[in-house]
Amino acid sequence: MKPSTILLIGCGNMGASLVGGWLDKGIHARSIHIVEPNPSAVVQEYVQKGCILSTTLPDNIYTTDIIILAVKPQTMASALGGLKAFVGPDTMIVSIAAGTTLATLSAAFDSHPLCTRAMPNLPATIGCGITACYAPESVGVVARSTVDDLMSAIGKVVWLESEDQLAAVTALSGSGPAYIFHFIECLENAGVQLGLSAELSRLLALETVAGSSALALGTTVDVSTLRQRVTSPGGTTEAALDVLMPQLGALMRQTLAAAAKRARELAG
Ligand SMILES: NC(=O)c1ccc[n+]([C@@H]2O[C@H](COP(=O)([O-])OP(=O)(O)OC[C@H]3O[C@@H](n4cnc5c(N)ncnc54)[C@H](OP(=O)(O)O)[C@@H]3O)[C@@H](O)[C@H]2O)c1
């Protein structure tokens, strides 16, 4: 990746994952300027490696190539204050905050045309995330490919056709890890109810989810067919799915609809 100056605003869970991924990808530590009021031990490690750290926006103003906004949506307004001074005509601005719209970003930077939104998810912290990005047409192919490179440091990257799709993405992959954790909790508890120890039940649940996902990702066979292949007529899986399937589909539709509604409310 070509060296660029990156100004990262907010280096909590997601910001720190990004920096870790960039350093692993070979981005020069000196080109990463972190602004973080409460730097964690991992941020201090990045500083040891050469990243620049400020606890507030620095007084020495310069034009940066890229700004990544990785603060919570509720602190975004204050984080945006003063940032305009670091933006030149070619500066790319990428926000990973849920709920901060491109209209808000663009307004904060005097209708700057190079703003992109990206929605990563929690497995990004181990480099296994998936990030969905949306940029308007004013962000050209080269700029998109730079964003793609930056976000691929924490996992896979996909591009959306409209900003509105970000609400659905937030509902599916953004909040999704919590649904999967709860699903694993439920599997574990149900296993315990059938007489397994909690430890064994948890291991079986975790490996079943991880192994099934790896299997499905590694084949072109669709998941419906995979499900049918493990469901023998009159067998145990069929007995289980007779209970699960009439309820889970509707429940997941309601679950994602609630999250998407909330994402749209947060976007104002
Ligand atoms: N975590 C996820 O799974 C996930 C998934 C998708 C998207 N996101 C989005 O990613 C963003 C960051 O999430 P996160 O989990 O990394 O949050 P986080 O751990 O709270 O990190 C945000 C960091 O920004 C700092 N900060 C606050 N105001 C600042 C300012 N004005 N300038 C610079 N830094 C400032 C915070 O410091 P203080 O703690 O002192 O306030 C905090 O350390 C959020 O907008 C979230 O919607 C997160």
Side-chain angles (χ1 to χ4, degrees):
M1 193 187 293
K2 90 172 167 53
S4 302
T5 50
I6 303 173
L7 184 58
L8 173 68
I9 309 299
C11 199
N13 296 316
M14 267 311 148
S17 304
L18 280 165
V19 176
W22 296 335
L23 295 175
D24 288 348
K25 256 186 147 202
I27 291 188
H28 202 262
R30 287 311 283 180
S31 63
I32 303 170
H33 185 160
I34 298 167
V35 180
E36 167 56 54
N38 290 304
S40 62
V42 70
V43 174
Q44 298 294 358
E45 275 175 35
Y46 297 151
V47 174
Q48 294 299 317
K49 291 180 179 174
C51 292
I52 301 159
L53 172 66
S54 311
T55 50
T56 56
L57 273 183
D59 293 332
N60 61 323
I61 287 164
Y62 61 92
T63 301
T64 184
D65 294 325
I66 297 158
I67 292 177
I68 307 278
L69 294 157
V71 296
K72 293 274 190 212
Q74 28 314 6
T75 47
M76 182 61 83
S78 67
L80 289 173
L83 258 184
K84 207 160 58 176
F86 295 81
V87 175
D90 298 323
T91 301
M92 275 190 327
I93 299 165
V94 182
S95 165
I96 66 163
T100 302
T101 61
L102 281 177
T104 303
L105 288 177
S106 174
F109 296 104
D110 291 340
S111 305
H112 187 68
L114 299 178
C115 296
T116 297
R117 284 183 65 188
M119 177 50 57
N121 67 355
L122 188 63
T125 54
I126 56 161
C128 297
I130 182 155
T131 301
C133 302
Y134 173 74
E137 279 182 14
S138 52
V139 178
V141 177
V142 176
R144 278 165 200 259
S145 122
T146 303
V147 175
D148 212 292
D149 270 354
L150 288 171
M151 299 314 294
S152 67
I154 51 171
K156 295 191 172 68
V157 178
V158 293
W159 284 84
L160 304 175
E161 287 165 7
S162 74
E163 185 175 7
D164 187 58
Q165 288 179 315
L166 277 161
V169 167
T170 304
L172 203 166
S173 54
S175 302
Y179 319 151
I180 304 300
F181 296 146
H182 184 56
F183 183 65
I184 292 167
E185 264 182 296
C186 291
L187 280 180
E188 180 189 328
N189 292 339
V192 169
Q193 206 187 10
L194 288 178
L196 300 175
S197 71
E199 195 184 355
L200 176 59
S201 199
R202 183 175 317 131
L203 181 66
L204 292 171
L206 282 167
E207 291 294 341
T208 301
V209 170
S212 305
S213 182
L215 188 151
L217 277 169
T219 176
T220 52
V221 179
D222 65 83
V223 286
S224 292
T225 307
L226 291 175
R227 169 177 54 74
Q228 283 157 23
R229 282 185 189 167
V230 291
T231 311
S232 319
T236 57
T237 309
E238 187 180 73
L241 291 178
D242 282 348
V243 178
L244 185 71
M245 288 182 66
Q247 301 179 66
L248 191 62
L251 191 60
M252 290 319 299
R253 280 193 295 278
Q254 287 169 35
T255 300
L256 265 67
K261 178 172 177 277
R262 186 68 189 129
R264 292 196 174 96
E265 281 166 6
L266 288 172

